[in-house]
Amino acid sequence: MKILILGNGGREYSIARAILNEKKGHELFFQPGNGATNTLGTNLDIKDYNQLAEFAKENAIELTIVGPEAPLVAGVVDVFKSHGLVVFGPSKQAAQLEGSKVYMKNFLAKYNIPTARYIETASIEDAFKFTNTLSTPIVVKADGLCGGKGVIIAMSHDEAKVAISEMLSGKSFGDAGKKVIIEEFLDGYELSMFAVCDGEDYILLPAAQDHKRLQDNDQGPNTGGMGAYAPTPLVDETLYQKVRERIIRPTLDGMQKEGAPFEGVLFIGVMVVNGEPITLEFNVRFGDPECEILMPLMTSSVSDMFYKAATNRLSEIEVAFSSQYAVGVVMASENYPYSNSKPAEIIVDEVHHEEIEKYTHISYAGVSMEDEKLYADGGRVLVCVGLGDTIKQARDRAYMRCGQVHFAGKKLRTDIAYQALA
Ligand code: AMP
Ligand code: GLY
């Protein structure tokens, strides 16, 4: 099958890698891809969605998988469908579950899906009034997409009010902050849950945990995620069942009632508070780096899962997972997450160790290729993934692989999966 993948991150690389590992002769295209995806397929440079859809038709692309949120929120799925193409991802309207936190929170409230108590408002007076009713910490969120930076956890009422003023004045996030959500702080542990959906049915993948802060012990600024592992032992069957009944089922039913059946990946940011799952947020795509550790755990066909989901036939298949664990450690460039970094050549040692060869691999993200040399190009550069029969074994292997990757200014956390190993 010819498959087009939209995006340029480690997430898209890992999807491609899993599809090629099926060894069914799939041919891959990437828009735009990165400096390493062109070793897995063909990188394109067609930014206009209608032109891209034309390309897909002319080249008999049978399936398009959309990785990141931005093209989804911009409506790429609607464009592809209007051309009669098979595409995996939510419509523009359904993507509002991630594109607008106000839409998401109001949806959760309307369908009685558990979430933190909140108000949404564009009025500074109302915002301050609600803030005064909360105890600290107080969570302030910009409505629109802010690349993971639109959430402030304020430690005092004054700090919350400054954040609210800066958002509503457009100072901190421009139009994305013209409406804000103010909500109570939930104290618990956080999970990343992923349901692959076809509008009606869904498949729930093993739960993962991300590590959002830059430094060990969850210190430093928030990032897109510095590492992840799955499955996490912090979830048992009872919790999965609660998430299914209280969050996923009512979301799929609710989106149907809204006239926007949800197709694609429903990424549920769950906070578990006293054993109860509360929805922190929805994203409408795979997490990154969570995708990089879930893809290698799938033992059934990844391409078939995406294809069946995109053609509303998920009920026809069973998805199977390995009994192993996966741990992914992100290596980021020097100035991440603050600013760009100078390109730095990446040297990956030749692997002589059978264990590393067999149980680890690299998913490439922020890299470029020049004269057959790979360069770290800023942001999150790559993810070293280790597989093992225990979380500890998987993690040791991931770090063994990290030891073989060199570039100037490389940054990584040394404690990925610590919550599971505590
Ligand atoms: P979001 O972009 O909504 O996922 O928020 C980013 C991060 O902020 C989440 O992953 C949580 O770690 C944290 N967060 C968001 N909302 C809350 C909340 N109500 N209580 C506690 N932490 C939160
Ligand atoms: N790793 C979290 C995210 O992709 O948003």
Side-chain angles (χ1 to χ4, degrees), residues 176-351:
K178 284 283 166 67
K179 264 193 171 183
V180 294
I181 304 273
I182 303 161
E183 67 181 28
E184 63 176 341
F185 179 80
L186 299 173
D187 195 5
Y189 60 90
E190 210 172 328
L191 303 171
S192 300
M193 298 248 213
F194 301 91
V196 173
C197 307
D198 71 0
E200 202 172 326
D201 293 306
Y202 68 92
I203 289 164
L204 184 57
L205 309 189
Q209 269 198 310
D210 185 17
H211 300 66
K212 290 214 161 87
R213 302 297 197 94
L214 182 68
Q215 288 148 12
D216 284 5
N217 302 316
D218 295 327
Q219 302 295 307
N222 260 328
T223 69
M226 292 299 291
Y229 73 95
T232 167
L234 303 177
V235 182
D236 59 13
E237 228 5 88
T238 312
L239 191 63
Y240 276 119
Q241 207 47 38
K242 287 179 182 171
V243 170
R244 287 174 179 280
E245 283 166 15
R246 298 180 194 170
I247 302 176
I248 303 174
R249 193 68 261 166
T251 296
L252 290 183
D253 293 348
M255 289 304 280
Q256 283 193 348
K257 291 197 187 109
E258 297 297 311
F262 191 87
E263 299 173 18
V265 178
L266 183 69
F267 169 177
I268 312 150
V270 176
M271 189 73 92
V272 183
V273 183
N274 300 323
E276 305 302 327
I278 318 277
T279 314
L280 272 183
E281 62 157 352
F282 283 140
N283 295 307
V284 297
R285 37 121 190 135
F286 270 118
D288 189 344
E290 291 96 325
C291 189
E292 286 93 314
I293 49 146
L294 290 171
M295 287 299 116
L297 290 176
M298 274 190 68
T299 50
S300 51
S301 163
V302 168
S303 64
D304 195 43
M305 176 180 75
F306 288 125
Y307 190 81
K308 288 291 187 331
T311 50
N312 312 99
R313 287 155 57 202
L314 266 188
S315 61
E316 292 174 18
I317 58 166
E318 296 277 340
V319 171
F321 296 92
S322 133
S323 57
Q324 287 194 305
Y325 295 88
V327 174
V329 179
V330 170
M331 297 177 90
S333 47
E334 191 172 6
N335 301 326
Y336 183 72
Y338 301 108
S339 57
N340 291 337
S341 312
K342 266 200 309 230
E345 190 183 345
I346 303 172
I347 307 286
V348 181
D349 297 339
E350 214 175 297
V351 177

Side-chain angles (χ1 to χ4, degrees), residues 118-137:
Y118 75 104
I119 59 160
E120 53 105 343
T121 181
S123 143
I124 200 154
E125 290 78 29
D126 291 351
F128 282 12
K129 220 193 276 168
F130 185 72
T131 301
N132 289 334
T133 70
L134 297 175
S135 49
T136 56

Side-chain angles (χ1 to χ4, degrees), residues 125 152 159 210 220 239 248 332 354 368 379 383 401:
E125 290 78 29
I152 307 286
E159 192 188 337
D210 185 17
L239 191 63
I248 303 174
E354 198 188 315
S368 57
V383 186
R401 188 72 183 213

Side-chain angles (χ1 to χ4, degrees), residues 65 75 86 98 102 121 165 187 225 284 352 392 404 407:
I65 300 166
V86 174
E98 175 164 4
V102 168
T121 181
S165 310
D187 195 5
V284 297
H352 294 296
K392 181 164 185 320
Q404 302 207 305
F407 57 91

